[in-house]
Amino acid sequence: MPPGGAIWLGVTALKFVSTRGAAPALDLADVTLAGLARDGGLYVPAEWPVFSSAQITAMAGLSYADLAVEVMMPFVGDTIARDDFSGLVRSAYASFDHRAVTPLRQSGPDEWVLELFHGPTLAFKDCALQLLGPLFDHLLQRDGSRVTIVGATSGDTGSAAIEACRDRDALDIFILYPHGRVSEIQRRQMTTVESTNVHCLAVAGTFDDCQALVKAMFDDTAFRDRHRLSAVNSINWTRIMAQVVYYFHAALALGAPGRAVAFSVPTGNFGDIFAGYVAAKMGLPIASLCIATNRNDILARFMADGVYQVHEVMPTVSPSMDIQVSSNFERLLFDLMGRDGAAVTALMSDLRTSGRFSVSENVLTQARGLFSTGTVGEEETLAVIAQEWRETGVLVDPHTAVGIGAGRRHRQDGVPLVHLATAHPAKFPEAVERATGVRPALPARLADLTTRAERFDVLANDLGAVEAYVSDRARAA
Ligand SMILES: *Cc1c(COP(=O)(O)O)cnc(C)c1O
């Protein structure tokens, strides 16, 4: 705890409301366990808690774990005792293999790389999931019950979720991933985990198919209630909340609140960058947020003309961003549309029936006030990896390279630019080697990954087949 006690002085817990406006308001404990709202929407706080400049100044110099407690406390309130929450946070970030948890590395004049890949599975998703697993366990222990966690992954969420939930008696976890469309390292990080509560389902389809199957399971209320379904993918508010912390951590190190900082964020499902938006809402001075995309560029196209139009997903060297329907974007829309749940529901229904929706000029203007965009193609991604290697001697992964390439186009003099490094280069060795001729090595603790035995089942892209598979194995009833 900082000298003088807690920074946030509010006591009661914030309530959370659905972006579709037709689900009950819940506190953090129930939102964590529920994942998706019953009306199909996503939970967001009923209002944004705002830190004063003095409160942000008081956060300077805190360790990552201490800062994490302060930043998340407004959402936790009295739903979890501060000491208990603090214990959960401390053990979550003790699993990282860097003392700073998310170190900032300077990569150029007033340019920085925020390394978010020092957790157990080498991707930024550990930053949230290492907390979410223990938090689930803590909340379930209160009422002695079990839940069934179901998630879709384009690669990195799966292993990070599995690491967070493995061997926990209150949880069974089922992870759907697109068969043949995740890297070998990503697949092996999921399929070589020996825990009996872990189930890997290779679905014959794309990531969007997997995500649609997960949504369909949640929409099947009888199935959902029978197995107490819960989610750990980035629709879960608690993941967003945990990701807000590293925006504060980086900005404080670079002079916030006295100086505003710009961030460039490689984006897929809009979870990571939405956490940056939340940080700005909470009072952190953020000059701009760059939505960096690969050639799956639905968000960049939307920011150009206000039309959200789904195209085919194209495979890229940054597969964790090979996404067209960007779930967390709904959270931003809700805010930009004056928190009108009915209006958001109408857009989402347009999207379902016609594969597109459009917004007013007013909504678009607001979005452009904080967000910029940049699309980085395959060649340019490899060129950025090569350039970073040549000019700084550091290997970066292809997702990080997309962020660097896009962020640089919007550099403003005098504003520190932070690139979020979302994965360790050894998670995507083929692309890195193609760009530089150098094959990045896995950390020693993962060195035998490619020889461990795998365990997974291949399933058709069919809701009935997937539900039957889960029903046969889930213990929650
Ligand atoms: C998940 C992921 C992303 C995209 O993050 P979102 O929160 O889905 O926008 C980017 N890079 C890597 C390495 C990832 O694993």
Side-chain angles (χ1 to χ4, degrees):
M1 195 182 289
I7 288 172
W8 183 257
L9 296 174
V11 187
T12 51
L14 276 172
K15 285 288 185 186
F16 294 81
V17 296
S18 165
T19 50
R20 310 254 173 118
L26 302 177
D27 69 12
L28 183 75
D30 290 332
V31 160
T32 300
L33 294 175
L36 204 65
R38 294 194 85 88
D39 58 3
L42 282 67
Y43 276 109
V44 289
E47 66 200 71
W48 296 114
V50 181
F51 291 113
S52 68
S53 190
Q55 285 173 316
I56 294 173
T57 301
M59 295 175 187
L62 293 181
S63 71
Y64 191 90
D66 285 340
L67 176 67
V69 173
E70 297 305 331
V71 170
M72 292 189 275
M73 219 50 215
F75 304 109
V76 174
D78 56 3
T79 48
I80 304 169
R82 187 184 163 99
D83 285 350
D84 289 346
F85 186 64
S86 174
L88 291 169
V89 168
R90 222 160 290 284
S91 69
Y93 297 110
S95 69
F96 281 58
D97 64 13
H98 195 295
R99 242 181 327 191
V101 182
T102 60
L104 259 184
R105 174 175 65 75
Q106 187 160 16
S107 61
D110 237 359
E111 221 176 294
W112 308 77
V113 173
L114 178 59
E115 295 184 349
L116 302 175
F117 52 71
H118 293 277
T121 71
L122 310 180
F124 86 95
K125 293 182 170 86
D126 289 326
C127 296
L129 285 163
Q130 282 297 298
L131 177 63
L132 188 57
L135 190 60
F136 257 87
D137 221 40
H138 178 86
L139 296 172
L140 291 167
Q141 274 170 24
R142 287 183 179 177
D143 60 345
S145 61
R146 280 205 172 97
V147 299
T148 303
I149 290 176
V150 180
T153 184
S154 55
D156 293 328
T157 311
S159 55
I162 286 168
E163 271 312 316
C165 299
R166 64 182 296 176
D167 303 319
R168 293 188 186 274
D169 191 50
L171 310 174
D172 287 308
I173 178 163
F174 294 83
I175 294 294
L176 283 65
Y177 65 90
H179 189 39
R181 291 187 190 232
V182 300
S183 78
E184 188 191 351
I185 302 278
Q186 288 179 321
R187 189 188 72 242
R188 286 183 164 276
Q189 281 187 304
M190 297 189 276
T191 58
T192 60
V193 172
E194 284 177 345
S195 312
T196 54
N197 71 331
V198 170
H199 307 276
C200 298
L201 286 69
V203 174
T206 63
F207 168 69
D208 286 341
D209 294 329
C210 294
Q211 199 167 19
L213 285 166
V214 168
K215 281 207 170 178
M217 280 190 270
F218 275 96
D219 288 345
D220 180 347
T221 318
F223 181 81
R224 168 187 175 151
D225 290 344
R226 187 160 64 247
H227 298 298
R228 278 200 83 183
L229 288 201
S230 191
V232 296
N233 56 11
S234 62
I235 57 178
N236 193 303
W237 165 259
T238 297
R239 281 190 52 186
I240 306 282
M241 174 182 85
Q243 291 174 186
V244 174
V245 175
Y246 49 71
Y247 285 91
F248 275 82
H249 194 238
L252 283 161
L254 295 174
R259 196 154 78 132
V261 176
F263 291 90
S264 176
V265 188
T267 303
N269 237 335
F270 209 76
D272 201 3
I273 194 162
F274 187 73
Y277 174 80
V278 175
K281 284 284 166 191
M282 293 175 78
L284 191 69
I286 293 182
S288 70
L289 290 165
C290 178
I291 302 169
T293 72
N294 62 27
R295 59 183 172 167
N296 296 294
D297 61 349
I298 187 166
L299 292 167
R301 287 186 282 110
F302 171 83
M303 292 291 286
D305 62 10
V307 180
Y308 190 92
Q309 166 94 52
V310 176
H311 289 175
E312 278 282 292
V313 180
M314 288 181 282
T316 71
V317 291
S318 47
S320 299
M321 294 152 61
D322 292 350
I323 284 168
Q324 278 296 337
V325 179
S326 206
S327 315
N328 278 291
F329 196 57
E330 181 170 337
R331 288 189 155 112
L332 179 67
L333 284 173
F334 179 67
D335 239 25
L336 298 181
M337 299 180 77
R339 308 204 131 210
D340 180 347
V344 172
T345 306
L347 290 190
M348 292 304 140
S349 133
D350 287 352
L351 184 63
R352 217 176 23 254
T353 53
S354 66
R356 58 176 275 161
F357 64 75
S358 57
V359 300
S360 69
E361 199 55 40
N362 167 41
V363 167
L364 201 54
T365 306
Q366 285 183 70
R368 287 179 184 146
L370 183 59
F371 295 97
S372 60
T373 61
T375 300
V376 175
E378 297 292 278
E379 301 267 295
E380 190 183 350
T381 304
L382 297 177
V384 170
I385 297 173
Q387 187 189 14
E388 289 306 292
W389 172 243
R390 225 171 31 242
E391 295 177 7
T392 70
V394 176
L395 296 173
V396 298
D397 100 285
H399 304 79
T400 304
V402 167
I404 292 174
R408 283 209 179 123
R409 294 181 201 156
H410 300 282
R411 268 214 61 164
Q412 291 169 264
D413 282 342
V415 179
L417 172 60
V418 177
H419 304 290
L420 270 54
T422 51
H424 189 289
K427 265 198 118 152
F428 303 93
E430 284 79 19
V432 175
E433 187 172 15
R434 228 165 91 204
T436 62
V438 180
R439 196 167 178 89
L442 282 168
R445 66 186 154 86
L446 291 171
D448 67 341
L449 190 66
T450 53
T451 57
R452 292 182 201 163
E454 291 189 79
R455 198 168 53 84
F456 63 91
D457 289 299
V458 180
L459 267 79
N461 176 18
D462 174 69
L463 181 62
V466 173
E467 287 193 344
Y469 185 97
V470 173
S471 285
D472 283 350
R473 292 163 180 80
R475 292 171 299 161

